[in-house]
């Protein structure tokens, strides 16, 4: 719903107002409705608002409660804020606004740093406590809302995107070797706290951070996902009913907590189509839906309109359909890259960017289906991992990693060659306690780590670029916790997402339920040819790319010679990966040197 930023000085100086202004300027698109700043001694807070709840000026930020001695900048939505407000009123707190921001302030005063354990929603926020002289920051359990930061001996700075931090000119922009290895191995995912750049970090999902003006800080993890079977076994019918009820409640909460209309991004796949069906079940009778498609390629269709049209016909939605020609995709590609807080390899990033542009003209809030494949095992590689032999890492690596470590060393320049950081990271995450079976370990990793920095980040960046808030019911905390305990056969069955297909039967056309899994196609970025190939060649042959030395030229030339012959295990173009990352560095980092 917003963009946040701020600075806490460690050196006794006051924050530079120009630095705050520069950060706010890079957050304007996330919050077009209001800009505000707050200064108090060693701290400065900035906010760009997208008005969703309590549209009055009383809910503008930074929000300051003089009586409590607190100031906050907050991005997100707290779905249980009405219940918390009632409880806090009973404790004697008085409210001057009607939204969720003030509820967080009062909750912090009532319950301290453990207030986050009571928040149900998506959020990233920072609170300045004038009495205790501490900055308290937190990020939601699933990492739906971003929180980037930089830290040096003089100051701590934070923002909703990397560009805001880069705009200060005070960030180490050297390449982080560990982050680079993750980027090219995990389909563009760099797990928190790292990023591609040495000087920028991310607060991990489900973590809080407490910092004092003398530079001391404490990180705390406040939630962990357990994938253990319940003590009282449940049969398939009971699980189906429980998942249906939890998902329906997640959808209801995300439509109810808003003072503006809410739509749905309808791809034509099972997940977004099921959201439409459940919204109808929840009593929404004026639903707006939005779909986007692209030009076909000989190998692949560029839209899923044949499926989304069936859902529209079934539920009579107010539907808006957009078909984007290839020349428009290429022309607008630099705009989409400019909105990426980190390089995103997913070919549908530009699709979401162009769709969000159109949708934002009609609504400010949409529901979207991200997270369903990770929570309910919808991807084709999950059963392959289950059937494979070897250690958990070997089974995961063989069916997910974009390139093996040996190929990484063939690709990367000598200055950036490294050990297999990603293998070690994934092995450690899979081995964490609290999961009954191997596939439970995999899905927990996906839900708590990989989904955060791939589809969720992609949708947040591309929608918020147009002042559009995306809500993701499949990543509802209670639904995720329930699904994690469900036996794997109710996820892996029926070719994946078995329980969701059971719920959908009778609510959606069979053709939508039984179709092969789709991947939001943008064929021109997968089957690289023509003007798209020329664009990538120009980037990779540029002087900046050659002088950076990130890639070995022999590897680049091999991909350029056969651009359509080199794909990752999960169907991405390796040439696109190289070109996209280099283009992001040229346009977002090289233009903001430290």
């Amino acid at each position: 719903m917003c963009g946040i930023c701020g600075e806490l000085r460690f050196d006794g100086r006051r924050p530079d107002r120009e630095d705050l202004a520069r950060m706010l300027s890079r957050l304007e698109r996330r919050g077009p409705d209001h800009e505000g700043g707050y200064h108090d001694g060693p701290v400065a807070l900035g906010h760009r608002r997208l008005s969703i709840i309590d549209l009055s000026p009383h809910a503008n930020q930074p929000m300051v409660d003089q009586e409590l001695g607190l100031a906050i900048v907050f991005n997100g939505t707290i779905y249980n804020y009405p219940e918390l407000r009632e409880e806090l009123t009973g404790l004697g707190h008085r409210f001057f606004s009607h939204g969720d921001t003030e509820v967080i302030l009062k909750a912090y005063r009532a319950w301290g740093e453990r207030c986050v354990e009571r928040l149900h929603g998506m959020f990233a926020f920072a609170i300045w406590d004038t009495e205790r002289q501490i900055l308290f920051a937190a990020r939601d359990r699933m990492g739906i809302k971003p929180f980037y930061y930089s830290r040096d001996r003089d100051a701590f700075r934070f923002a909703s995107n990397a560009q805001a931090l880069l705009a200060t000119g005070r960030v180490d922009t050297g390449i982080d070797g560990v982050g680079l290895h993750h980027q090219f191995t995990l389909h563009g995912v760099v797990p928190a706290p790292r990023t591609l750049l040495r000087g920028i970090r991310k607060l991990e999902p489900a973590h809080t951070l407490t910092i004092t003006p003398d530079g001391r800080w404490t990180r705390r993890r406040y939630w962990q996902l357990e994938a253990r079977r319940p003590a009282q076994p449940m049969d398939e019918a009971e699980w189906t009913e429980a998942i249906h009820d939890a998902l329906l409640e997640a959808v209801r909460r995300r439509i109810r907590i808003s003072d503006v209309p809410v739509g749905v991004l309808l791809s034509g796949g099972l997940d977004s189509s099921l959201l439409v069906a459940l919204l109808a079940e929840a009593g929404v009778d004026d639903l707006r839906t939005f779909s986007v498609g692209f030009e076909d390629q000989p190998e692949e269709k560029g839209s899923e309109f044949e499926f989304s049209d069936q859902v529209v016909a079934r539920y009579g939605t107010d539907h808006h359909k957009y078909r984007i020609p290839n020349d428009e995709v290429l022309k607008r590609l630099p705009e989409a890259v400019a909105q990426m807080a980190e390089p995103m390899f997913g070919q549908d990033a530009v699709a979401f960017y162009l769709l969000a542009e159109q949708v934002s003209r009609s609504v400010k809030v949409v529901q979207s289906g991200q997270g369903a494949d990770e929570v309910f095992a919808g991807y084709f590689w999950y059963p392959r991992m289950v059937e494979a032999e070897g250690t958990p890492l070997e089974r995961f690596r063989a069916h997910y990693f974009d390139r093996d470590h040996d190929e990484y060393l063939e690709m990367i320049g000598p200055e950036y060659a490294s050990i297999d950081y990603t293998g070690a990271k994934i092995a450690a995450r899979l081995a964490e306690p609290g999961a009954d079976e191997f596939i439970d370990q995999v899905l927990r990793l996906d839900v708590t780590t990989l989904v955060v920095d791939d589809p969720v980040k992609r949708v947040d960046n591309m929608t918020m670029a147009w002042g559009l808030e995306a809500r993701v019911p499949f990543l509802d905390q209670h639904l995720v916790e329930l699904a994690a305990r469900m036996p794997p056969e109710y996820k892996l069955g029926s070719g994946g997402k078995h329980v969701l297909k059971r719920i959908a039967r009778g609510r959606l056309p069979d053709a939508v339920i039984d179709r092969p899994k789709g991947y939001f196609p943008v064929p021109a970025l997968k089957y690289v040819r023509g003007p798209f190939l020329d664009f990538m060649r120009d980037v990779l042959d540029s002087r900046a790319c050659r002088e950076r030395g990130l890639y070995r030229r022999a590897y680049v030339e091999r991909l350029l010679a056969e651009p359509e012959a080199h794909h990752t295990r999960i169907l991405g173009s390796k040439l696109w990966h190289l070109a996209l990352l280099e283009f992001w560095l040229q346009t977002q980092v090289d233009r903001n040197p430290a």
Side-chain angles (χ1 to χ4, degrees):
M1 74 181 247
C2 302
I4 64 174
C5 61
E7 179 178 12
L8 175 63
R9 302 292 305 190
F10 302 145
D11 57 5
R13 299 172 56 193
R14 293 179 179 273
D16 187 329
R17 289 177 179 266
E18 289 300 314
D19 276 354
L20 190 70
R22 280 188 281 268
M23 288 195 285
L24 283 168
S25 72
R26 300 307 300 269
L27 298 170
E28 181 177 359
R29 294 181 63 158
R30 293 185 67 94
D33 296 331
H34 177 264
E35 177 179 299
Y38 168 84
H39 299 265
D40 178 45
V43 75
L45 303 176
H47 189 268
R48 293 288 322 195
R49 184 183 182 196
L50 177 65
S51 301
I52 303 294
I53 303 172
D54 186 355
L55 309 184
S56 75
H58 296 294
N60 284 342
Q61 299 183 49
M63 181 177 284
V64 181
D65 190 320
Q66 300 286 1
E67 184 177 319
L68 298 182
L70 302 174
I72 186 173
V73 285
F74 159 56
N75 171 30
T77 303
I78 306 302
Y79 300 119
N80 66 331
Y81 88 88
E83 298 95 315
L84 292 175
R85 181 189 176 106
E86 184 177 352
E87 183 177 356
L88 289 162
T89 300
L91 294 176
H93 288 281
R94 295 173 296 173
F95 289 81
F96 54 81
S97 68
H98 300 285
D100 48 356
T101 305
E102 190 181 1
V103 169
I104 300 175
L105 276 181
K106 264 53 173 191
Y108 173 80
R109 177 55 73 222
W111 303 307
E113 297 179 8
R114 300 195 67 174
C115 66
V116 291
E117 298 170 27
R118 292 173 170 259
L119 303 180
H120 181 192
M122 54 181 185
F123 55 83
F125 65 81
I127 294 175
W128 174 241
D129 187 329
T130 60
E131 292 181 8
R132 298 176 61 199
Q133 289 286 288
I134 65 168
L135 185 71
F136 174 67
R139 191 176 181 198
D140 66 74
R141 295 164 182 81
M142 306 299 164
I144 299 168
K145 287 300 170 184
F147 191 99
Y148 292 89
Y149 66 87
S150 63
R151 182 191 185 204
D152 56 34
R153 66 180 184 180
D154 296 326
F156 171 87
R157 300 176 186 89
F158 67 90
S160 295
N161 62 28
Q163 285 87 342
L165 296 173
L166 289 167
T168 67
R170 304 178 190 277
V171 173
D172 180 355
T173 58
I175 299 295
D176 184 299
V178 179
L180 184 67
H181 197 282
H182 295 335
Q183 179 90 32
F184 277 113
T185 308
L186 298 174
H187 198 57
V189 169
V190 181
R194 293 185 183 274
T195 73
L196 182 67
L197 304 179
R198 283 198 299 258
I200 297 181
R201 292 292 180 256
K202 297 174 286 199
L203 182 59
E204 298 98 316
H207 276 72
T208 64
L209 184 60
T210 305
I211 314 168
T212 61
D214 62 3
R216 290 179 293 120
W217 70 342
T218 303
R219 286 168 53 256
R220 182 177 76 89
R221 185 173 185 173
Y222 65 86
W223 177 83
Q224 288 182 277
L225 181 61
E226 292 284 323
R228 300 287 196 192
R229 304 292 165 259
Q232 185 67 39
M234 297 163 59
D235 63 23
E236 183 175 347
E238 291 171 320
W239 276 113
T240 302
E241 181 181 6
I243 294 294
H244 165 267
D245 292 349
L247 181 55
L248 181 61
E249 178 58 22
V251 167
R252 280 176 171 152
R253 279 189 178 272
R254 283 156 183 80
I255 201 81
R256 190 166 59 233
I257 304 301
S258 175
D259 292 332
V260 297
V262 180
V264 175
L265 301 183
L266 178 60
S267 70
L270 173 67
D271 312 327
S272 59
S273 299
L274 187 54
L275 293 183
V276 172
L278 292 175
L279 283 163
E281 187 175 338
V284 178
D285 56 9
D286 58 347
L287 186 60
R288 304 180 196 184
T289 53
F290 305 86
S291 300
V292 66
F294 299 87
E295 288 184 33
D296 297 342
Q297 296 282 61
E299 301 87 347
E300 186 175 32
K301 296 187 68 172
S303 79
E304 299 182 336
F305 291 155
E306 63 180 292
F307 300 107
S308 58
D309 287 350
Q310 295 180 53
V311 178
V312 169
R314 170 73 69 96
Y315 287 102
T317 68
D318 177 8
H319 190 56
H320 305 259
K321 185 163 61 174
Y322 311 101
R323 188 182 295 274
I324 312 295
N326 279 345
D327 60 351
E328 182 76 2
V329 175
L330 185 56
K331 182 175 71 174
R332 306 292 299 282
L333 186 59
E335 292 178 40
V337 173
Q339 300 306 314
M340 296 178 180
E342 302 172 68
M344 300 177 189
F345 292 162
Q347 53 186 280
D348 60 358
V350 66
F352 277 111
Y353 179 77
L354 296 173
L355 176 59
E357 177 184 25
Q358 301 297 330
V359 175
S360 66
R361 296 170 180 169
S362 300
V363 297
K364 280 188 171 183
V365 181
V366 288
Q367 296 200 22
S368 188
Q370 277 65 44
D373 286 301
E374 291 81 4
V375 174
F376 294 101
Y379 293 126
F380 68 83
W381 50 83
Y382 293 133
R384 295 180 183 181
M385 290 179 182
V386 171
E387 294 166 4
E389 297 181 354
T391 66
L393 173 62
E394 290 168 345
R395 297 163 75 182
F396 187 92
R397 182 201 303 272
H399 298 287
Y400 189 89
F401 281 13
D402 280 341
R403 48 188 58 76
D404 296 326
H405 184 62
D406 289 344
E407 183 182 350
Y408 178 81
L409 295 178
E410 289 179 27
M411 175 193 74
I412 213 72
E415 179 183 349
Y416 302 100
S418 67
I419 61 172
D420 184 7
Y421 291 119
T422 308
K425 176 79 171 181
I426 297 302
R429 294 301 302 272
L430 290 172
E432 290 178 355
D436 280 352
E437 301 181 34
F438 167 68
I439 191 59
D440 295 318
Q441 297 173 324
V442 170
L443 294 176
R444 180 184 59 185
L445 169 66
D446 244 346
V447 170
T448 60
T449 304
L450 303 182
V451 73
V452 174
D453 280 297
D454 189 14
V456 168
K457 178 177 66 184
R458 191 158 68 244
V459 172
D460 174 83
N461 284 193
M462 297 300 107
T463 56
M464 290 301 292
W466 296 105
L468 178 69
E469 178 177 287
R471 298 178 174 180
V472 282
F474 288 105
L475 291 178
D476 179 88
Q477 170 198 344
H478 301 314
L479 177 65
V480 168
E481 290 173 337
L482 178 66
R485 304 174 71 195
M486 186 169 64
E489 58 266 28
Y490 301 144
K491 303 171 190 175
L492 294 167
S494 304
K497 295 188 285 196
H498 173 74
V499 68
L500 295 186
K501 291 175 179 177
R502 281 205 58 176
I503 294 169
R505 195 71 66 184
R507 292 181 171 89
L508 295 175
D510 287 348
V512 174
I513 300 170
D514 299 325
R515 56 165 294 196
K517 163 71 182 167
Y519 292 92
F520 208 155
V522 188
L525 294 178
K526 179 177 175 182
Y527 303 100
V528 181
R529 57 183 70 130
F532 289 87
L533 176 57
D534 294 340
F535 168 79
M536 296 180 199
R537 188 187 305 276
D538 289 346
V539 170
L540 294 170
D541 281 344
S542 66
R543 178 178 178 181
C545 181
R546 291 176 179 272
E547 290 183 350
R548 199 183 317 276
L550 197 57
Y551 312 131
R552 293 180 185 268
R553 293 309 303 177
Y555 187 88
V556 173
E557 296 300 335
R558 187 162 78 241
L559 267 58
L560 286 170
E562 296 183 289
E564 298 180 36
H566 301 277
H567 288 90
T568 68
R569 293 183 175 97
I570 52 177
L571 309 179
S573 164
K574 292 183 178 180
L575 184 64
W576 166 242
H577 289 191
L578 270 64
L580 183 280
L581 186 139
E582 174 61 30
F583 188 69
W584 187 86
L585 288 171
Q586 289 182 20
T587 58
Q588 305 307 302
V589 179
D590 294 351
R591 295 179 184 177
N592 291 284

PDB file of all heavy atoms in Angstrom, residues 411-427:
ATOM      1  N   MET A 411      30.740 -19.969 -16.708  1.00  0.00           N
ATOM      2  CA  MET A 411      30.052 -18.731 -17.078  1.00  0.00           C
ATOM      3  C   MET A 411      30.679 -17.497 -16.454  1.00  0.00           C
ATOM      4  O   MET A 411      30.833 -16.461 -17.101  1.00  0.00           O
ATOM      5  CB  MET A 411      28.583 -18.823 -16.646  1.00  0.00           C
ATOM      6  CG  MET A 411      27.770 -17.564 -16.868  1.00  0.00           C
ATOM      7  SD  MET A 411      26.173 -17.606 -16.002  1.00  0.00           S
ATOM      8  CE  MET A 411      26.706 -17.357 -14.307  1.00  0.00           C
ATOM      9  N   ILE A 412      31.060 -17.589 -15.190  1.00  0.00           N
ATOM     10  CA  ILE A 412      31.397 -16.401 -14.421  1.00  0.00           C
ATOM     11  C   ILE A 412      32.854 -16.008 -14.624  1.00  0.00           C
ATOM     12  O   ILE A 412      33.725 -16.870 -14.800  1.00  0.00           O
ATOM     13  CB  ILE A 412      31.081 -16.635 -12.915  1.00  0.00           C
ATOM     14  CG1 ILE A 412      30.641 -15.340 -12.260  1.00  0.00           C
ATOM     15  CG2 ILE A 412      32.260 -17.270 -12.188  1.00  0.00           C
ATOM     16  CD1 ILE A 412      29.259 -14.903 -12.675  1.00  0.00           C
ATOM     17  N   GLY A 413      33.113 -14.695 -14.591  1.00  0.00           N
ATOM     18  CA  GLY A 413      34.478 -14.212 -14.757  1.00  0.00           C
ATOM     19  C   GLY A 413      35.372 -14.634 -13.607  1.00  0.00           C
ATOM     20  O   GLY A 413      34.893 -14.876 -12.492  1.00  0.00           O
ATOM     21  N   PRO A 414      36.687 -14.726 -13.835  1.00  0.00           N
ATOM     22  CA  PRO A 414      37.612 -15.218 -12.806  1.00  0.00           C
ATOM     23  C   PRO A 414      37.520 -14.459 -11.487  1.00  0.00           C
ATOM     24  O   PRO A 414      37.649 -15.049 -10.415  1.00  0.00           O
ATOM     25  CB  PRO A 414      38.992 -15.026 -13.464  1.00  0.00           C
ATOM     26  CG  PRO A 414      38.721 -15.017 -14.931  1.00  0.00           C
ATOM     27  CD  PRO A 414      37.367 -14.399 -15.100  1.00  0.00           C
ATOM     28  N   GLU A 415      37.271 -13.150 -11.551  1.00  0.00           N
ATOM     29  CA  GLU A 415      37.210 -12.349 -10.330  1.00  0.00           C
ATOM     30  C   GLU A 415      36.067 -12.768  -9.418  1.00  0.00           C
ATOM     31  O   GLU A 415      36.124 -12.584  -8.197  1.00  0.00           O
ATOM     32  CB  GLU A 415      37.043 -10.869 -10.704  1.00  0.00           C
ATOM     33  CG  GLU A 415      36.953  -9.940  -9.515  1.00  0.00           C
ATOM     34  CD  GLU A 415      36.726  -8.493  -9.916  1.00  0.00           C
ATOM     35  OE1 GLU A 415      36.852  -8.175 -11.116  1.00  0.00           O
ATOM     36  OE2 GLU A 415      36.403  -7.675  -9.023  1.00  0.00           O
ATOM     37  N   TYR A 416      35.024 -13.388 -10.010  1.00  0.00           N
ATOM     38  CA  TYR A 416      33.823 -13.724  -9.247  1.00  0.00           C
ATOM     39  C   TYR A 416      33.664 -15.228  -8.999  1.00  0.00           C
ATOM     40  O   TYR A 416      32.649 -15.665  -8.450  1.00  0.00           O
ATOM     41  CB  TYR A 416      32.583 -13.188  -9.966  1.00  0.00           C
ATOM     42  CG  TYR A 416      32.614 -11.702 -10.175  1.00  0.00           C
ATOM     43  CD1 TYR A 416      32.979 -11.157 -11.406  1.00  0.00           C
ATOM     44  CD2 TYR A 416      32.313 -10.830  -9.134  1.00  0.00           C
ATOM     45  CE1 TYR A 416      33.020  -9.786 -11.603  1.00  0.00           C
ATOM     46  CE2 TYR A 416      32.353  -9.453  -9.322  1.00  0.00           C
ATOM     47  CZ  TYR A 416      32.712  -8.936 -10.552  1.00  0.00           C
ATOM     48  OH  TYR A 416      32.756  -7.576 -10.749  1.00  0.00           O
ATOM     49  N   ALA A 417      34.650 -16.009  -9.399  1.00  0.00           N
ATOM     50  CA  ALA A 417      34.588 -17.454  -9.177  1.00  0.00           C
ATOM     51  C   ALA A 417      34.552 -17.742  -7.678  1.00  0.00           C
ATOM     52  O   ALA A 417      35.160 -17.026  -6.869  1.00  0.00           O
ATOM     53  CB  ALA A 417      35.779 -18.141  -9.814  1.00  0.00           C
ATOM     54  N   SER A 418      33.815 -18.787  -7.293  1.00  0.00           N
ATOM     55  CA  SER A 418      33.603 -19.045  -5.869  1.00  0.00           C
ATOM     56  C   SER A 418      33.367 -20.527  -5.623  1.00  0.00           C
ATOM     57  O   SER A 418      33.306 -21.331  -6.550  1.00  0.00           O
ATOM     58  CB  SER A 418      32.387 -18.253  -5.386  1.00  0.00           C
ATOM     59  OG  SER A 418      31.196 -18.761  -5.994  1.00  0.00           O
ATOM     60  N   ILE A 419      33.194 -20.855  -4.354  1.00  0.00           N
ATOM     61  CA  ILE A 419      32.762 -22.195  -3.988  1.00  0.00           C
ATOM     62  C   ILE A 419      31.252 -22.301  -4.219  1.00  0.00           C
ATOM     63  O   ILE A 419      30.598 -21.321  -4.567  1.00  0.00           O
ATOM     64  CB  ILE A 419      33.098 -22.506  -2.519  1.00  0.00           C
ATOM     65  CG1 ILE A 419      32.364 -21.522  -1.583  1.00  0.00           C
ATOM     66  CG2 ILE A 419      34.592 -22.451  -2.291  1.00  0.00           C
ATOM     67  CD1 ILE A 419      32.499 -21.876  -0.110  1.00  0.00           C
ATOM     68  N   ASP A 420      30.684 -23.479  -3.996  1.00  0.00           N
ATOM     69  CA  ASP A 420      29.257 -23.710  -4.227  1.00  0.00           C
ATOM     70  C   ASP A 420      28.446 -23.195  -3.036  1.00  0.00           C
ATOM     71  O   ASP A 420      27.954 -23.959  -2.212  1.00  0.00           O
ATOM     72  CB  ASP A 420      29.005 -25.201  -4.457  1.00  0.00           C
ATOM     73  CG  ASP A 420      27.551 -25.506  -4.793  1.00  0.00           C
ATOM     74  OD1 ASP A 420      26.765 -24.544  -4.972  1.00  0.00           O
ATOM     75  OD2 ASP A 420      27.196 -26.698  -4.865  1.00  0.00           O
ATOM     76  N   TYR A 421      28.287 -21.871  -2.962  1.00  0.00           N
ATOM     77  CA  TYR A 421      27.555 -21.275  -1.855  1.00  0.00           C
ATOM     78  C   TYR A 421      26.102 -21.747  -1.803  1.00  0.00           C
ATOM     79  O   TYR A 421      25.534 -21.958  -0.731  1.00  0.00           O
ATOM     80  CB  TYR A 421      27.558 -19.747  -1.981  1.00  0.00           C
ATOM     81  CG  TYR A 421      28.899 -19.097  -1.772  1.00  0.00           C
ATOM     82  CD1 TYR A 421      29.500 -18.358  -2.789  1.00  0.00           C
ATOM     83  CD2 TYR A 421      29.554 -19.179  -0.547  1.00  0.00           C
ATOM     84  CE1 TYR A 421      30.722 -17.725  -2.596  1.00  0.00           C
ATOM     85  CE2 TYR A 421      30.773 -18.559  -0.344  1.00  0.00           C
ATOM     86  CZ  TYR A 421      31.355 -17.829  -1.374  1.00  0.00           C
ATOM     87  OH  TYR A 421      32.565 -17.218  -1.174  1.00  0.00           O
ATOM     88  N   THR A 422      25.493 -21.886  -2.964  1.00  0.00           N
ATOM     89  CA  THR A 422      24.070 -22.201  -2.991  1.00  0.00           C
ATOM     90  C   THR A 422      23.800 -23.619  -2.516  1.00  0.00           C
ATOM     91  O   THR A 422      22.825 -23.863  -1.796  1.00  0.00           O
ATOM     92  CB  THR A 422      23.498 -21.989  -4.406  1.00  0.00           C
ATOM     93  OG1 THR A 422      23.846 -20.670  -4.852  1.00  0.00           O
ATOM     94  CG2 THR A 422      21.998 -22.161  -4.422  1.00  0.00           C
ATOM     95  N   GLY A 423      24.629 -24.559  -2.928  1.00  0.00           N
ATOM     96  CA  GLY A 423      24.458 -25.929  -2.460  1.00  0.00           C
ATOM     97  C   GLY A 423      24.489 -26.004  -0.947  1.00  0.00           C
ATOM     98  O   GLY A 423      23.657 -26.676  -0.320  1.00  0.00           O
ATOM     99  N   ALA A 424      25.443 -25.291  -0.336  1.00  0.00           N
ATOM    100  CA  ALA A 424      25.558 -25.294   1.126  1.00  0.00           C
ATOM    101  C   ALA A 424      24.336 -24.653   1.767  1.00  0.00           C
ATOM    102  O   ALA A 424      23.812 -25.143   2.779  1.00  0.00           O
ATOM    103  CB  ALA A 424      26.828 -24.561   1.542  1.00  0.00           C
ATOM    104  N   LYS A 425      23.855 -23.567   1.177  1.00  0.00           N
ATOM    105  CA  LYS A 425      22.693 -22.857   1.725  1.00  0.00           C
ATOM    106  C   LYS A 425      21.447 -23.737   1.685  1.00  0.00           C
ATOM    107  O   LYS A 425      20.720 -23.865   2.684  1.00  0.00           O
ATOM    108  CB  LYS A 425      22.443 -21.588   0.910  1.00  0.00           C
ATOM    109  CG  LYS A 425      21.211 -20.788   1.307  1.00  0.00           C
ATOM    110  CD  LYS A 425      21.466 -19.959   2.525  1.00  0.00           C
ATOM    111  CE  LYS A 425      20.321 -18.998   2.805  1.00  0.00           C
ATOM    112  NZ  LYS A 425      20.579 -18.158   3.987  1.00  0.00           N
ATOM    113  N   ILE A 426      21.187 -24.345   0.545  1.00  0.00           N
ATOM    114  CA  ILE A 426      19.980 -25.164   0.387  1.00  0.00           C
ATOM    115  C   ILE A 426      20.048 -26.412   1.264  1.00  0.00           C
ATOM    116  O   ILE A 426      19.043 -26.807   1.879  1.00  0.00           O
ATOM    117  CB  ILE A 426      19.761 -25.537  -1.086  1.00  0.00           C
ATOM    118  CG1 ILE A 426      19.516 -24.273  -1.916  1.00  0.00           C
ATOM    119  CG2 ILE A 426      18.597 -26.500  -1.231  1.00  0.00           C
ATOM    120  CD1 ILE A 426      18.341 -23.435  -1.478  1.00  0.00           C
ATOM    121  N   ALA A 427      21.206 -27.034   1.348  1.00  0.00           N
ATOM    122  CA  ALA A 427      21.345 -28.213   2.207  1.00  0.00           C
ATOM    123  C   ALA A 427      21.022 -27.882   3.654  1.00  0.00           C
ATOM    124  O   ALA A 427      20.329 -28.642   4.340  1.00  0.00           O
ATOM    125  CB  ALA A 427      22.763 -28.770   2.087  1.00  0.00           C
TER     126      ALA A 427
END
